[in-house]
Amino acid sequence: KQEVTQIPAALSVPEGENLVLNCSFTDSAIYNLQWFRQDPGKGLTSLLLIQSSQREQTSGRLNASLDKSSGRSTLYIAASQPGDSATYLCAVRQETSGSRLTFGEGTQLTVNP
Amino acid sequence: ETGVTQSPTHLIKTRGQQVTLRCSSQSGHNTVSWYQQALGQGPQFIFQYYREEENGRGNFPPRFSGLQFPNYSSELNVNALELDDSALYLCASSLSGGGGNTIYFGEGSWLTVV
């Protein structure tokens, strides 16, 4: 059974800092990994999707890496801004589970002005 | 804007009642999944529909049921509501069969059971 863990559970940083969020998964037979952002009381916004054959993906100030063999992914946020404050969730899609995603419990990020 | 719309956005039900939540998937997406997210936790997979057939289910009892319609919109039905069913219910749509298709989520329906 796939299990996804995110560390830290919460993180508070001053504006302008670069930061790294961590995600680990127990079963390396994944199809892809997706990072989401969730604002309080809202749905999920897809940030980055990394295929199992890829090592990293970039979008603006965000960079996500994937090490499938070790079961780890990181989300790097450069020059953080107060608007980045949200909960960040990673989710893996198994090779044999269709579109089913297994989520971690998220990292709650606060960027202080 | 993901193109996935859910209704209602908020609702309050009494224990023992039944509820129906609705989802309109992104245009062209033939796969819809439902997730339950309790406060402070990650979403948990309930089930998935592809071309009107359920083709995957998480660890949820039979009182959680669903439908997918020919236009790929979907419903989640929960019978005999319990207090623990209070959560955010998320609908997600995608195009099945593709390699790395992104999965898109709606804004969710907040259900409170009292």
Side-chain angles (χ1 to χ4, degrees):
Chain A
K1 178 189 168 186
Q2 178 72 273
E3 292 182 4
V4 179
T5 303
Q6 291 188 244
I7 295 173
L11 181 63
S12 180
V13 300
E15 182 177 3
E17 249 190 38
N18 302 324
L19 57 101
V20 174
L21 308 181
N22 297 291
C23 172
S24 62
F25 47 94
T26 55
D27 185 346
S28 62
I30 66 169
Y31 204 44
N32 57 42
L33 182 146
Q34 201 165 344
W35 282 93
F36 293 90
R37 169 187 172 135
Q38 186 173 33
D39 292 297
K42 300 292 187 180
L44 307 182
T45 300
S46 179
L47 297 174
L48 290 164
L49 172 74
I50 312 179
Q51 302 300 335
S52 60
S53 58
Q54 297 176 320
R55 299 287 287 184
E56 65 178 75
Q57 281 284 346
T58 298
S59 176
R61 295 183 293 108
L62 304 180
N63 176 278
S65 69
L66 175 64
D67 184 341
K68 182 181 169 182
S69 60
S70 68
R72 287 186 291 188
S73 176
T74 61
L75 179 66
Y76 174 82
I77 302 176
S80 58
Q81 303 170 358
D84 294 331
S85 298
T87 296
Y88 291 80
L89 294 152
C90 74
V92 298
R93 183 174 169 182
Q94 297 298 122
E95 291 175 350
T96 57
S97 67
S99 298
R100 173 178 182 165
L101 296 177
T102 302
F103 283 85
E105 298 210 334
T107 293
Q108 186 175 359
L109 172 66
T110 303
V111 181
N112 301 300
Chain B
E1 181 62 48
T2 66
V4 181
T5 57
Q6 293 187 241
S7 63
T9 55
H10 295 80
L11 71 166
I12 300 174
K13 290 286 189 177
T14 302
R15 189 171 49 182
Q17 284 187 318
Q18 179 265 344
V19 67
T20 297
L21 307 178
R22 295 178 175 84
C23 172
S24 176
S25 59
Q26 190 177 104
S27 178
H29 283 185
N30 55 16
T31 300
V32 65
S33 305
W34 286 90
Y35 291 79
Q36 180 194 67
Q37 186 179 22
L39 208 59
Q41 298 185 16
Q44 298 292 316
F45 175 77
I46 302 175
F47 45 56
Q48 173 181 292
Y49 279 81
Y50 171 65
R51 293 185 176 177
E52 303 177 56
E53 295 286 331
E54 182 182 302
N55 75 339
R57 189 176 185 95
N59 189 27
F60 282 82
R63 58 189 186 85
F64 286 78
S65 63
L67 284 172
Q68 187 183 29
F69 300 100
N71 65 355
Y72 303 135
S73 64
S74 176
E75 286 182 356
L76 165 65
N77 299 289
V78 187
N79 294 321
L81 284 167
E82 301 177 359
L83 296 179
D84 284 348
D85 295 334
S86 296
L88 177 65
Y89 288 85
L90 294 162
C91 171
S93 79
S94 63
L95 184 59
S96 184
N101 295 318
T102 298
I103 295 173
Y104 296 94
F105 283 79
E107 289 291 312
S109 293
W110 279 102
L111 171 64
T112 301
V113 182
V114 298

